[in-house]
Amino acid sequence: MCGIVGIVGQSPVNQQIYDALTVLQHRGQDAAGIMTCDEGELFLRKQNGLVRDVFQQRHMLRLKGNIGIGHVRYPTAGCDSSSEAQPFFVNSPYGICLGHNGNLTNATELAEVLIREDLRHLNTSSDSEVLLNVLASELSRAGTPRASASDIFAAVTSVYRRVRGGFAVVSMIVGHGLLGFRDPHGIRPLVVGRRQRPHGDEYMLASESVALDQLGFDLMRDVGPGEAVFIDEHGRFYSHQ
């Protein structure tokens, strides 16, 4: 069991993600991480430990940007090394980071195919890194300088074909927006909320609605089993079953 959160806002999201992870701390106490994006530049802080210990003021000041994701980890696969703290990141295509709650039952077979056929490198034994690289591999097939929402949903559809297990995912795609999706059986939880602001709506994905409540987001609904939602950097909301 892990906790995940993602926010697309109209102002810096670092403190909001921190507060959400604090509320979700019961879902994982081994490691915590936040990654944000500002004008195409990514900022990351992750380490073993509780949220309050991992993030000091100097770390928070470096986490710039109005979009970001966070994760608290309870290790169910891989090991408890700080190298397996999330979010994970790959630079191609576009730059993708990912936080994952769940377990992949075919992670070993997927890892072999990723290395042999997709020509991707895996740096850890984490099934979350496997899932990230499957998503990146499928998204690269779009072959365009900028992927549309339809391209992103097509990539997720291909992920569902390849991946088995229970999973809820938040992923940030540089220059695009925030992606969330849930396994076809709905084994792992994921909710989506909205908060109205004078300059546009803000959206949040989280493992539990208590995180939305903490930050004043209104619960829209659960992300459905086998559903993906995408919020672009301008706050436009898309969903696909």
Side-chain angles (χ1 to χ4, degrees):
M1 184 170 71
C2 299
I4 56 176
V5 61
I7 300 177
V8 178
Q10 301 290 327
S11 60
V13 297
N14 54 351
Q15 187 63 50
Q16 298 174 71
I17 295 176
Y18 176 95
D19 293 341
L21 291 181
T22 302
V23 174
L24 296 174
Q25 183 75 86
H26 62 281
R27 298 187 64 88
Q29 296 85 41
D30 286 72
I34 296 175
M35 181 173 271
T36 61
C37 185
D38 183 47
E39 296 183 354
E41 185 175 358
L42 290 167
F43 303 90
L44 172 66
R45 168 64 179 172
K46 63 177 182 176
Q47 190 57 263
N48 283 357
L50 300 174
V51 174
R52 67 171 184 247
D53 299 323
V54 171
F55 301 101
Q56 306 300 318
Q57 185 178 19
R58 67 183 184 276
H59 304 129
M60 297 298 292
L61 291 173
R62 296 178 191 140
L63 294 170
K64 304 173 184 178
N66 297 353
I67 178 172
I69 65 174
H71 186 273
V72 287
R73 181 171 188 254
Y74 177 86
T76 55
C79 64
D80 59 2
S81 166
S82 61
S83 66
E84 298 200 359
Q86 298 183 43
F88 283 116
F89 168 75
V90 292
N91 69 341
S92 177
Y94 313 118
I96 308 171
C97 60
L98 178 144
H100 162 230
N101 170 34
N103 292 96
L104 307 188
T105 58
N106 63 334
T108 301
E109 303 96 294
L110 283 171
E112 293 172 356
V113 173
L114 284 168
I115 294 169
R116 185 180 66 251
E117 298 181 13
D118 295 51
L119 306 181
R120 303 196 71 88
H121 173 72
L122 300 176
N123 201 48
T124 72
S125 58
S126 171
D127 60 350
S128 302
E129 188 184 17
V130 170
L131 180 54
L132 169 60
N133 277 273
V134 172
L135 174 62
S137 179
E138 294 302 331
L139 195 52
S140 68
R141 301 183 197 283
T144 60
R146 183 176 179 85
S148 65
S150 297
D151 293 330
I152 293 169
F153 290 143
V156 176
T157 298
S158 296
V159 169
Y160 285 143
R161 293 195 192 104
R162 296 179 65 176
V163 171
R164 296 196 302 270
F167 50 88
V169 171
V170 291
S171 177
M172 182 169 60
I173 305 172
V174 176
H176 292 72
L178 177 68
L179 170 68
F181 57 93
R182 195 174 172 206
D183 66 82
H185 303 288
I187 297 171
R188 302 294 183 175
L190 188 64
V191 297
V192 58
R194 179 174 56 203
R195 184 172 62 185
Q196 293 183 328
R197 284 289 186 259
H199 299 293
D201 290 343
E202 299 177 323
Y203 288 91
M204 179 176 176
L205 296 166
S207 295
E208 300 178 17
S209 60
V210 65
L212 307 182
D213 298 338
Q214 173 74 10
L215 297 178
F217 282 78
D218 295 321
L219 175 65
M220 295 171 61
R221 57 182 173 82
D222 286 359
V223 175
E227 182 186 18
V229 299
F230 175 67
I231 305 101
D232 70 18
E233 293 184 313
H234 303 291
R236 292 182 292 240
F237 182 89
Y238 305 84
S239 67
H240 183 77
Q241 184 67 43

